[in-house]
Protein backbone atom coordinates (compact mmCIF):
# COMPACT_ATOMS: atom_id res chain seq x y z
CA UNK A 1 0.00 0.00 0.00
CA UNK A 2 1.33 3.44 -0.89
CA UNK A 3 2.22 5.57 2.09
CA UNK A 4 1.75 9.27 1.53
CA UNK A 5 2.56 11.99 4.04
CA UNK A 6 1.20 15.52 4.20
CA UNK A 7 3.21 18.22 5.91
CA UNK A 8 1.21 21.42 5.69
CA UNK A 9 2.43 24.85 6.56
CA UNK A 10 2.66 28.47 5.71
CA UNK A 11 6.38 28.03 5.07
CA UNK A 12 7.00 31.78 5.25
CA UNK A 13 9.86 30.94 4.83
CA UNK A 14 10.61 27.21 4.83
CA UNK A 15 13.61 26.44 7.06
CA UNK A 16 15.83 23.53 8.03
CA UNK A 17 13.61 22.76 11.05
CA UNK A 18 10.86 21.85 8.58
CA UNK A 19 13.24 19.99 6.30
CA UNK A 20 15.03 17.95 8.95
CA UNK A 21 11.64 16.97 10.36
CA UNK A 22 10.38 16.05 6.89
CA UNK A 23 13.24 13.79 5.85
CA UNK A 24 13.29 12.02 9.21
CA UNK A 25 9.54 11.43 9.24
CA UNK A 26 9.73 10.10 5.72
CA UNK A 27 12.51 7.75 6.79
CA UNK A 28 10.92 6.62 10.08
CA UNK A 29 7.49 5.97 8.59
CA UNK A 30 8.81 4.58 5.29
CA UNK A 31 6.72 7.04 3.32
CA UNK A 32 6.80 6.74 -0.45
CA UNK A 33 6.37 10.48 -0.67
CA UNK A 34 5.96 13.37 1.69
CA UNK A 35 4.23 16.44 0.34
CA UNK A 36 5.08 19.84 1.74
CA UNK A 37 1.73 21.48 1.13
CA UNK A 38 1.89 25.26 0.98
CA UNK A 39 -1.19 26.83 2.56
CA UNK A 40 -2.98 29.22 0.21
CA UNK A 41 -4.67 31.34 2.83
CA UNK A 42 -3.55 30.11 6.25
CA UNK A 43 -6.78 30.88 8.12
CA UNK A 44 -5.03 30.65 11.49
CA UNK A 45 -2.67 33.45 10.51
CA UNK A 46 -4.87 35.61 8.28
CA UNK A 47 -5.41 39.02 9.81
CA UNK A 48 -2.69 38.50 12.39
CA UNK A 49 0.29 39.28 10.25
CA UNK A 50 1.30 39.88 6.65
CA UNK A 51 1.70 36.58 4.85
CA UNK A 52 3.90 36.48 1.76
CA UNK A 53 2.27 35.64 -1.57
CA UNK A 54 1.70 31.90 -1.89
CA UNK A 55 3.73 31.73 -5.12
CA UNK A 56 6.78 33.09 -3.28
CA UNK A 57 6.33 30.61 -0.43
CA UNK A 58 5.93 27.77 -2.93
CA UNK A 59 9.04 28.82 -4.87
CA UNK A 60 11.03 28.64 -1.63
CA UNK A 61 9.70 25.18 -0.79
CA UNK A 62 10.42 23.97 -4.34
CA UNK A 63 13.98 25.25 -4.08
CA UNK A 64 14.39 23.65 -0.66
CA UNK A 65 13.28 20.12 -1.65
CA UNK A 66 15.01 20.01 -5.01
CA UNK A 67 17.10 16.84 -5.20
CA UNK A 68 15.81 15.45 -1.88
CA UNK A 69 14.31 12.03 -2.61
CA UNK A 70 10.68 11.60 -1.62
CA UNK A 71 10.04 15.21 -0.63
CA UNK A 72 7.75 17.18 -2.91
CA UNK A 73 6.44 20.73 -2.88
CA UNK A 74 2.69 20.77 -3.40
CA UNK A 75 0.56 23.62 -4.68
CA UNK A 76 -2.72 21.73 -4.29
CA UNK A 77 -4.08 24.12 -1.65
CA UNK A 78 -3.10 27.10 -3.78
CA UNK A 79 -4.81 25.63 -6.82
CA UNK A 80 -7.95 24.96 -4.77
CA UNK A 81 -7.99 28.62 -3.75
CA UNK A 82 -9.60 30.21 -0.73
CA UNK A 83 -8.90 29.16 2.84
CA UNK A 84 -6.82 26.01 3.17
CA UNK A 85 -8.40 23.22 5.17
CA UNK A 86 -6.58 19.97 5.79
CA UNK A 87 -9.87 18.05 5.57
CA UNK A 88 -10.13 19.08 1.90
CA UNK A 89 -6.48 18.29 1.25
CA UNK A 90 -6.84 14.77 2.62
CA UNK A 91 -10.01 14.22 0.56
CA UNK A 92 -8.18 15.32 -2.58
CA UNK A 93 -5.25 13.03 -1.83
CA UNK A 94 -7.58 10.10 -1.26
CA UNK A 95 -8.78 10.57 -4.84
CA UNK A 96 -5.29 11.08 -6.22
CA UNK A 97 -3.88 8.02 -4.43
CA UNK A 98 -6.71 5.49 -4.12
CA UNK A 99 -6.06 3.02 -1.31
CA UNK A 100 -3.04 4.91 0.00
CA UNK A 101 -2.39 5.23 3.70
CA UNK A 102 -2.27 8.92 4.59
CA UNK A 103 -0.08 10.43 7.31
CA UNK A 104 -0.40 13.96 8.58
CA UNK A 105 2.76 15.53 9.99
CA UNK A 106 2.41 18.27 12.59
CA UNK A 107 4.80 19.95 14.98
CA UNK A 108 4.09 19.60 18.69
CA UNK A 109 2.97 23.25 18.83
CA UNK A 110 0.08 22.47 16.51
CA UNK A 111 -1.40 19.52 18.41
CA UNK A 112 -3.25 21.74 20.88
CA UNK A 113 -5.02 23.56 18.03
CA UNK A 114 -6.41 20.49 16.29
CA UNK A 115 -9.80 20.86 18.00
CA UNK A 116 -10.28 24.20 16.26
CA UNK A 117 -9.72 22.77 12.79
CA UNK A 118 -12.48 22.77 10.20
CA UNK A 119 -14.14 19.30 10.02
CA UNK A 120 -11.62 17.92 12.47
CA UNK A 121 -13.45 14.57 12.69
CA UNK A 122 -12.86 13.98 8.98
CA UNK A 123 -9.17 14.75 9.47
CA UNK A 124 -8.96 12.47 12.51
CA UNK A 125 -10.68 9.58 10.74
CA UNK A 126 -8.78 10.01 7.50
CA UNK A 127 -5.15 9.87 8.53
CA UNK A 128 -2.53 8.82 11.02
CA UNK A 129 -0.99 11.77 12.83
CA UNK A 130 2.80 12.01 13.04
CA UNK A 131 3.75 14.47 15.77
CA UNK A 132 7.28 15.85 15.66
CA UNK A 133 8.95 17.48 18.63
CA UNK A 134 9.56 21.17 18.59
CA UNK A 135 11.61 23.11 21.12
CA UNK A 136 9.28 24.90 23.49
CA UNK A 137 6.35 22.52 23.04
CA UNK A 138 5.81 19.27 24.84
CA UNK A 139 4.80 16.57 22.37
CA UNK A 140 1.55 14.90 23.33
CA UNK A 141 -0.81 12.71 21.43
CA UNK A 142 -4.42 13.83 21.09
CA UNK A 143 -7.03 11.41 22.43
CA UNK A 144 -9.01 9.51 19.84
CA UNK A 145 -6.48 9.88 17.05
CA UNK A 146 -4.30 7.26 15.42
CA UNK A 147 -1.07 9.00 16.26
CA UNK A 148 2.59 8.57 17.08
CA UNK A 149 5.46 10.81 18.08
CA UNK A 150 8.25 10.62 15.52
CA UNK A 151 11.75 11.43 16.71
CA UNK A 152 13.42 14.19 14.73
CA UNK A 153 16.39 16.45 15.49
CA UNK A 154 15.22 19.22 17.76
CA UNK A 155 15.99 22.49 15.98
CA UNK A 156 15.01 25.75 17.58
CA UNK A 157 14.20 27.55 14.34
CA UNK A 158 10.99 29.32 13.36
CA UNK A 159 9.84 31.32 10.37
CA UNK A 160 8.91 34.11 12.79
CA UNK A 161 12.53 34.40 13.91
CA UNK A 162 13.76 34.26 10.31
CA UNK A 163 11.49 37.11 9.26
CA UNK A 164 12.83 39.18 12.15
CA UNK A 165 16.37 38.31 11.07
CA UNK A 166 15.75 39.71 7.59
CA UNK A 167 14.33 42.93 9.01
CA UNK A 168 17.32 43.29 11.34
CA UNK A 169 19.86 42.33 8.66
CA UNK A 170 21.01 39.28 10.66
CA UNK A 171 22.21 36.15 8.80
CA UNK A 172 19.94 33.38 7.56
CA UNK A 173 22.70 31.03 6.43
CA UNK A 174 22.48 27.44 7.70
CA UNK A 175 18.98 28.08 9.05
CA UNK A 176 17.51 28.16 5.55
CA UNK A 177 18.89 26.27 2.50
CA UNK A 178 21.22 28.45 0.41
CA UNK A 179 18.88 28.60 -2.63
CA UNK A 180 16.11 29.85 -0.32
CA UNK A 181 18.39 32.60 1.03
CA UNK A 182 18.97 33.62 -2.59
CA UNK A 183 15.23 33.73 -3.28
CA UNK A 184 14.53 35.79 -0.16
CA UNK A 185 17.11 38.29 -1.32
CA UNK A 186 16.19 38.40 -5.00
CA UNK A 187 12.46 38.75 -4.26
CA UNK A 188 13.08 41.14 -1.39
CA UNK A 189 10.91 39.15 0.95
CA UNK A 190 10.50 40.25 4.58
CA UNK A 191 12.32 43.54 4.06
CA UNK A 192 11.10 46.80 5.66
CA UNK A 193 8.01 47.10 3.48
CA UNK A 194 6.48 44.16 5.33
CA UNK A 195 5.35 44.94 8.83
CA UNK A 196 4.09 42.19 11.08
CA UNK A 197 2.03 44.75 12.96
CA UNK A 198 -0.10 45.66 9.96
CA UNK A 199 -2.86 43.10 9.55
CA UNK A 200 -4.54 42.09 6.30
CA UNK A 201 -2.04 43.63 3.95
CA UNK A 202 -0.57 41.58 1.18
CA UNK A 203 3.10 42.23 0.61
CA UNK A 204 3.95 43.11 -2.98
CA UNK A 205 7.74 43.05 -3.13
CA UNK A 206 9.24 46.11 -4.67
CA UNK A 207 6.09 48.21 -4.77
CA UNK A 208 6.65 50.18 -1.64
CA UNK A 209 9.29 52.59 -2.79
CA UNK A 210 12.46 52.04 -0.87
CA UNK A 211 14.26 48.83 -1.74
CA UNK A 212 14.83 46.37 1.05
CA UNK A 213 18.04 46.29 2.98
CA UNK A 214 19.27 43.05 1.41
P1 LIG B 1 5.71 30.71 12.10
O1 LIG B 1 6.76 31.12 13.09
O2 LIG B 1 5.42 31.73 11.05
O3 LIG B 1 4.47 30.10 12.72
P2 LIG B 1 6.85 28.08 11.71
O4 LIG B 1 8.33 28.05 11.81
O5 LIG B 1 6.04 27.65 12.90
O6 LIG B 1 6.41 29.54 11.25
P3 LIG B 1 4.90 26.91 9.99
O7 LIG B 1 4.81 27.10 8.52
O8 LIG B 1 3.95 27.61 10.88
O9 LIG B 1 6.42 27.27 10.43
O10 LIG B 1 4.90 25.38 10.37
C1 LIG B 1 4.51 24.33 9.52
C2 LIG B 1 4.64 23.03 10.30
O11 LIG B 1 6.03 22.80 10.63
C3 LIG B 1 3.91 23.02 11.66
O12 LIG B 1 3.36 21.72 11.86
C4 LIG B 1 5.02 23.30 12.65
O13 LIG B 1 4.74 22.78 13.94
C5 LIG B 1 6.19 22.57 12.01
N1 LIG B 1 7.49 23.14 12.39
C6 LIG B 1 7.90 24.40 12.22
N2 LIG B 1 9.15 24.59 12.68
C7 LIG B 1 9.55 23.40 13.18
C8 LIG B 1 10.75 22.94 13.82
N3 LIG B 1 11.78 23.76 14.05
N4 LIG B 1 10.81 21.64 14.21
C9 LIG B 1 9.76 20.82 13.99
N5 LIG B 1 8.59 21.19 13.39
C10 LIG B 1 8.49 22.46 12.99
MG1 LIG C 1 4.01 28.05 13.07
Amino acid sequence: MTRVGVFGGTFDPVHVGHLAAAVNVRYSLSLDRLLLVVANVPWQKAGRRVVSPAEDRLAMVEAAVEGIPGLEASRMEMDRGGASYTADTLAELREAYPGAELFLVVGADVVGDLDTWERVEAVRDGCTLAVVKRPGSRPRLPAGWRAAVVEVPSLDISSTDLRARVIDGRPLDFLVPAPVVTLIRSRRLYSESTDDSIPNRIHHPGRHGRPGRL
Side-chain angles (χ1 to χ4, degrees), residues 124-146:
R124 185 193 61 207
D125 297 343
C127 69
T128 299
L129 199 66
V131 179
V132 296
K133 293 185 183 169
R134 192 167 183 192
S137 306
R138 239 166 36 93
R140 57 175 193 84
L141 298 178
W145 290 65
R146 256 190 328 267

Side-chain angles (χ1 to χ4, degrees), residues 12-210:
D12 194 16
V14 66
H15 53 69
V16 302
H18 298 127
L19 297 161
V23 293
N24 284 283
V25 167
R26 180 182 175 243
Y27 170 80
S28 295
L29 300 182
S30 304
L31 303 180
D32 296 289
R33 49 181 61 191
L34 175 54
L35 311 179
L36 278 75
V37 181
V38 175
N40 184 45
V41 179
W43 55 272
Q44 300 100 324
K45 288 174 182 169
R48 291 189 17 217
R49 69 169 183 85
V50 179
V51 175
S52 303
E55 292 291 351
D56 287 329
R57 293 181 283 113
L58 177 74
M60 292 189 280
V61 174
E62 282 175 343
V65 301
E66 174 147 25
I68 316 279
L71 295 198
E72 295 170 28
S74 168
R75 56 178 300 129
M76 59 189 289
E77 292 187 350
M78 295 164 55
D79 290 344
R80 221 165 47 226
S84 299
Y85 298 122
T86 302
D88 298 327
T89 301
L90 291 174
E92 206 175 319
L93 287 173
R94 218 163 288 120
E95 288 205 354
Y97 302 101
E101 194 167 356
L102 299 180
F103 295 84
L104 179 65
V105 184
V106 293
D109 60 308
V110 170
V111 174
D113 301 338
L114 289 173
D115 288 346
T116 69
W117 283 18
E118 173 90 5
R119 281 163 280 137
V120 64
E121 299 80 9
V123 177
R124 185 193 61 207
D125 297 343
C127 69
T128 299
L129 199 66
V131 179
V132 296
K133 293 185 183 169
R134 192 167 183 192
S137 306
R138 239 166 36 93
R140 57 175 193 84
L141 298 178
W145 290 65
R146 256 190 328 267
V149 173
V150 179
E151 291 292 332
V152 302
S154 192
L155 298 173
D156 192 1
I157 304 172
S158 70
S159 303
T160 300
D161 173 63
L162 290 162
R163 293 190 299 272
R165 282 173 169 273
V166 177
I167 290 167
D168 297 349
R170 285 178 288 144
L172 306 178
D173 306 295
F174 306 108
L175 302 173
V176 165
V180 177
V181 177
T182 303
L183 273 174
I184 290 171
R185 295 198 168 145
S186 65
R187 298 191 181 197
R188 297 192 187 287
L189 298 173
Y190 318 118
S191 44
E192 300 104 327
S193 54
T194 48
D195 182 341
D196 273 13
S197 67
I198 302 175
N200 276 333
R201 213 183 68 191
I202 304 291
H203 171 223
H204 298 290
R207 288 197 205 156
H208 294 284
R210 263 190 322 147

